[in-house]
Amino acid sequence: MAYSGCKKIDGLQQNPAAIYEPNPQLLLTGILLDMREGPWGSDQINNQFMVINESFYGNQAYTWGALSFSGFDQLRNIQQLEIESAKKGDEGKPYLALAKFFKAYFAIGMTERFGDIPFSQALKARSEGIFQPEYDLQKDVYKQCLQLLEDANTDIGPLVTAGKSINGDFFYAGKLDKWQKLINSYRLRILISLSKRADDTPELNIKQQCASILNNPSKYPLILVNEDNFQLVYNSTTRDNNYPLWPADGVVVKQDLRNNLGDTYIKILTATKDPRVFVVANPTESAKASGDPDYAKKFTSFSGGRTGELQTTLKSQAVAGKLSTINFDYWVASPSGIPYVMLGGYETEFSIAEAINRGWLSGDAGDHLKKGVTLSMKFYGISNQAILDYFNVAGNEYAGNNAAGLEQLLSQKYVAFFQNSGRQAFYNNRRTGIPKFDIGPANSNNNQIPVRWAYPTTEYSTNEVNLKKSLQRQFNGSDTRNDVMWLVK
């Protein structure tokens, strides 16, 4: 009686609504939901793709402060995914392979923002009683993550060959061959992001790793076509998954005096006579009122607002019809809008071109530049003839493996990132200075573009000793948006 009574009490103590042994596919779906990014947010303002003319909705002052360590919430879920997948034997192997990719993805997402982060000792509170983990050097975080990506590719390769798949995947519908391409394309992104450390950090083997991937496509397949893009596709039926610009009442107002295209972005399109401008943007109202019957076909009819301008100036320009707005007929033609690309084939091609330009491997950088531009234009539905016309414009041919060629391909990478890929446009600018970001009287950061975010305020109360030790090591004790981390120093 005592035995059965204890069993009964134990059973009663369990929460009947709780899931004690979640299926890996359920955990996977949750992790993928946390990976989602989206267009039209503050990241795109900081990328200088857009400007806001009303202070009520935001600004371009670059006065951002701290961010959270929310990535550790995802890392805990990934840890649980590994635990549950290990119980499934062969069935769990695909999830275990992807877990390595996810670990690297979320860890790098945090170190890109802050600098050093806890990693080696993180998530060991329950297993080893480590409640205040030490901060890893940013260099060591990258070293561990690059190895995770290598191991993920090694583990997933045989599963692809065997025709295995996964459930719970709304990005790639369980197709592991596409996940393998993403793993390697993401690794290439990370290696390129380490360009400033390519010659002074031999333990990372940055150039060698890059060459190994690009010289062995059968072992390291990549995203090279738009059909393989890692992208979030919206739909028309579920309100929670409508395109972010789609209004709740379904009535699209095709006028906006609060938001305009950014000059940093628009001037690249117009200077190179890029047909994408006719898709993404509307001509200015002043061009429309000029009386020119061909105004909509002229590049001079498009103009962006300068990020550095005071919002009062921008608003006056917008009211006067001097600034371009987005093309509502393209972006919100339906509730499903336009897919949001998190990592696309055009980025891969631009990364390959940059590696060649920098002398990391041999090849034709101009050809990869052309492929990158073509993939981006195809994404926007540009015709083959218009693409050919673009490449025939004087000055649009590749300038060569030199500084001018590097600026050219990085500018095109920036254009392709428009309303895609989160902070990647900002990160690339932080690393290279290309394109030149606008600074003016609206900047409230001492005429500087910030280079990082401050650590979460909670770290000062929960892990203060280790945080301050790391800050002293990195920034002589400082923790501001202008402190330069190892990655881009």
Side-chain angles (χ1 to χ4, degrees), residues 124-175:
K124 292 186 177 181
R126 183 167 52 181
S127 61
E128 300 182 30
I130 300 176
F131 293 94
Q132 295 177 317
E134 294 182 358
Y135 280 63
D136 292 59
L137 292 171
Q138 188 173 48
K139 174 181 66 176
D140 293 335
V141 174
Y142 274 97
K143 184 176 181 179
Q144 293 171 76
C145 289
L146 287 169
Q147 186 61 54
L148 282 169
L149 295 170
E150 170 69 17
D151 294 344
N153 180 70
T154 299
D155 293 349
I156 207 170
L159 300 172
V160 172
T161 302
K164 301 294 183 181
S165 62
I166 53 172
N167 296 313
D169 169 21
F170 57 81
F171 277 112
Y172 283 136
K175 298 176 182 178

Side-chain angles (χ1 to χ4, degrees), residues 36 233-244 246-247 335-337:
R36 292 177 303 169
V233 178
Y234 301 94
N235 64 46
S236 300
T237 57
T238 307
R239 177 69 187 108
D240 290 343
N241 196 41
N242 287 168
Y243 193 64
W246 186 257
S336 57

Side-chain angles (χ1 to χ4, degrees), residues 17 50 87 89 136 159 225 248 259 267 285 356 407 438 457 463 474-475 477 481:
M50 302 288 295
K87 299 175 184 177
D136 292 59
L159 300 172
V225 294
N259 302 280
K267 69 183 178 184
E285 287 297 314
I356 296 170
E407 180 175 2
D438 186 58
T457 54
N463 198 14
Q474 294 181 86
F475 313 124
R481 66 182 75 92

Side-chain angles (χ1 to χ4, degrees), residues 23 36 49 82 93 117 153 158 202 205 208 280 282 328 401:
N23 191 294
R36 292 177 303 169
F49 288 139
E82 291 178 310
K93 287 182 178 179
I117 60 169
N153 180 70
N205 296 314
Q208 295 89 333
V280 303
N282 282 325
F328 292 93
N401 294 339

Side-chain angles (χ1 to χ4, degrees), residues 223-459:
I223 298 174
L224 296 170
V225 294
N226 285 334
E227 290 73 18
D228 290 335
N229 285 354
F230 184 50
Q231 63 185 21
L232 181 62
V233 178
Y234 301 94
N235 64 46
S236 300
T237 57
T238 307
R239 177 69 187 108
D240 290 343
N241 196 41
N242 287 168
Y243 193 64
L245 289 183
W246 186 257
D249 60 5
V251 179
V252 180
V253 179
K254 299 179 182 180
Q255 185 179 19
D256 188 357
L257 291 177
R258 300 171 301 179
N259 302 280
N260 295 100
L261 276 298
D263 177 68
T264 305
Y265 170 64
I266 287 292
K267 69 183 178 184
I268 297 175
L269 295 176
T270 56
T272 57
K273 294 182 171 53
D274 192 319
R276 283 172 287 190
V277 75
F278 300 117
V279 177
V280 303
N282 282 325
T284 64
E285 287 297 314
S286 56
K288 183 179 180 179
S290 67
D292 185 345
D294 295 323
Y295 78 94
K297 301 177 183 178
K298 294 186 175 181
F299 293 100
T300 53
S301 296
F302 297 84
S303 181
R306 289 183 53 207
T307 296
E309 291 282 11
L310 294 173
Q311 287 185 298
T312 52
T313 302
L314 290 171
K315 185 61 180 288
S316 296
Q317 292 172 345
V319 171
K322 296 181 179 180
L323 300 180
S324 292
T325 60
I326 65 169
N327 180 2
F328 292 93
D329 289 333
Y330 174 74
W331 295 105
V332 281
S334 75
S336 57
I338 305 299
Y340 178 82
V341 180
M342 296 167 66
L343 198 159
Y346 46 76
E347 180 183 349
T348 305
E349 291 290 359
F350 291 129
S351 293
I352 296 171
E354 182 175 348
I356 296 170
N357 178 283
R358 293 184 181 279
W360 294 7
L361 69 159
S362 59
D364 186 346
D367 179 60
H368 289 286
L369 168 62
K370 189 173 184 178
K371 288 178 179 177
V373 172
T374 299
L375 284 174
S376 178
M377 289 189 175
K378 287 290 188 182
F379 175 79
Y380 288 109
I382 303 298
S383 70
N384 291 332
Q385 185 59 52
I387 295 173
L388 288 173
D389 292 342
Y390 168 84
F391 287 117
N392 287 328
V393 173
N396 285 351
E397 65 278 2
Y398 181 54
N401 294 339
N402 47 45
L406 182 63
E407 180 175 2
Q408 186 180 21
L409 65 91
L410 287 171
S411 296
Q412 284 304 311
K413 190 176 188 179
Y414 173 80
V415 167
F417 278 148
F418 181 70
Q419 300 304 330
N420 288 313
S421 302
R423 298 184 176 99
Q424 287 306 308
F426 166 76
Y427 289 149
N428 274 268
N429 175 271
R430 179 179 68 176
R431 174 175 65 93
T432 67
I434 299 171
K436 185 178 180 181
F437 273 11
D438 186 58
I439 298 173
N443 185 290
S444 298
N445 186 44
N446 198 27
N447 290 325
Q448 299 178 73
I449 302 295
V451 291
R452 64 180 288 273
W453 285 260
Y455 285 104
T457 54
T458 53
E459 279 293 281

